[in-house]
Every structure is written in C-alpha cells, then in structure tokens.
C-alpha cells in the first residue's frame, strides 16, 4: 500500500548509482570509438593490400609500403590493447572495483578517470608516489656524488 514512497526512498538512498552510470557511459563511449577505429583501420589495410595485387613496385616503394603497413598494424595492435584494458575496466566496474584507489581505497575522482581511464591511484596517492620516486632519485644522485668526493679524498 505504501509502495510508491518505498520506491522513492530506495532511489535517493543510492548515491553510487550515478557515478556507476557515468563511468560506464564513459568507458562504453571509448570502447565504441576504439572498435570503430580498429575496424576501420583493418578495412583500410585490407583494401590497400588487395587493391593492386599484381603491380610491380621498385624496391624503394615496396619497403615504404611495408613500413607504412607495419605502422598501421602497430597502431591497430595498440588500440586493440587499449580496448582490452577498457573491457577489463568494465568488468571491474561491474564488480564494484573500478575507480577506487589501489593505495588508500578512496574513490578516484570522475574527472581524473575521464582523463586517465586506467588510473589505479587517486591524485593524492599518485603525487605522493611520484614525490617518493623523485626523492629516491635525488638521494641516489647525492649518494653517487658523495661517493665520488670520497674517492677523491
Ligand atoms: Zn589514494
């Protein structure tokens, strides 16, 4: 009898829903875009390959065409790998594990995920990590130079 009010309550109680939908939409868009690009590229390469199958090219032209083809394939491979990552991200999203910081477990901001869909750390943890790496490099350099001075006596 109080069905309507109950339903309303359950909708407002779920603040995670919006974020999930937004992230899913974002990943889906990227996936569609990549699929289209990969398929388009594969079509291009095939079309070029079958266009003039019997034409004799001089060695220079042949190798240039080969290089171009290699680049095209490398691009396709890169995009295919990105596509795999997006599929993984979508699977993680469904399990509720996507968009959370690997270090502190906090939600990674949507803005950050839009810029870096495969980010595994929040901005703070990433910066802390970068600073730590930088400190380590600086320390290593200092150790290196002090060693150098020690050796000179
Ligand atoms: Zn974090």
């Amino acid at each position: 009898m109080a069905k309507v009010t109950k339903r309303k309550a359950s909708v407002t109680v779920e603040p995670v829903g919006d974020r999930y939908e937004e992230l899913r939409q974002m990943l889906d868009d990227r996936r569609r875009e990549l699929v289209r690009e990969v398929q388009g590229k594969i079509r291009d390469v095939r079309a070029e390959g079958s266009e003039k199958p019997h034409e004799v090219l001089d060695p220079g032209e042949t190798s240039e065409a080969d290089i171009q083809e290699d680049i095209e394939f490398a691009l396709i491979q890169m995009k295919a790998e990105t596509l795999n990552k997006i599929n993984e991200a979508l699977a993680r999203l469904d399990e509720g594990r996507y968009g959370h910081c690997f270090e502190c477990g906090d939600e990674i901001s949507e803005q950050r995920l839009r810029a870096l869909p495969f980010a595994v750390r929040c901005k703070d943890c990433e910066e802390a990590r970068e600073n730590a790496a930088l400190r380590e490099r600086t320390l290593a350099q200092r150790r290196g130079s002090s060693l150098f001075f020690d050796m000179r006596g």
Side-chain angles (χ1 to χ4, degrees):
M1 274 126 250
K3 269 179 205 159
V4 179
T5 44
K6 236 182 196 173
R7 186 171 291 227
K8 242 182 196 171
S10 75
V11 169
T12 46
V13 160
E14 236 171 67
V16 184
D18 276 352
R19 181 177 151 93
Y20 173 87
E21 287 300 329
E22 292 264 335
L23 291 176
R24 182 160 192 100
Q25 185 68 46
M26 187 263 289
L27 289 170
D28 265 343
D29 284 351
R30 277 177 200 246
R31 183 166 66 164
R32 253 197 301 276
E33 203 175 293
L34 274 167
V35 167
R36 203 170 47 228
E37 280 175 22
V38 169
Q39 282 173 346
K41 283 242 175 278
I42 290 171
R43 243 196 324 271
D44 283 354
V45 171
R46 279 192 188 145
E48 274 167 32
S50 59
E51 231 169 46
K52 307 161 189 165
H54 298 301
E55 193 175 327
V56 182
L57 301 164
D58 72 43
E61 276 181 276
T62 310
S63 63
E64 243 172 64
D66 281 351
I67 290 167
Q68 188 57 40
E69 205 164 276
D70 283 350
I71 293 170
E72 292 290 317
F73 276 118
L75 277 173
I76 291 171
Q77 199 163 10
M78 257 171 54
K79 286 182 194 296
E81 275 164 24
T82 309
L83 200 56
N84 276 339
K85 282 188 181 176
I86 290 183
N87 285 333
E88 279 170 25
L90 278 164
R92 282 209 308 275
L93 183 67
D94 278 338
E95 291 165 16
R97 289 189 293 126
Y98 176 75
H100 288 268
C101 176
F102 185 73
E103 303 273 348
C104 69
D106 273 1
E107 280 189 357
I108 301 172
S109 75
E110 209 180 301
Q111 192 189 8
R112 178 169 168 78
L113 286 172
R114 280 185 189 279
L116 305 158
F118 314 121
V120 292
R121 287 178 190 84
C122 69
K123 197 163 169 286
D124 288 348
C125 289
E126 189 65 53
E127 277 173 8
R129 195 167 166 270
E130 277 165 16
N131 285 340
L134 193 69
R135 240 189 337 265
E136 217 158 272
R137 262 204 306 278
T138 317
L139 277 174
Q141 269 168 11
R142 265 189 218 144
R143 269 201 296 275
S145 56
S146 66
L147 186 69
F148 179 67
F149 280 116
D150 287 347
M151 277 165 71
R152 284 179 70 186

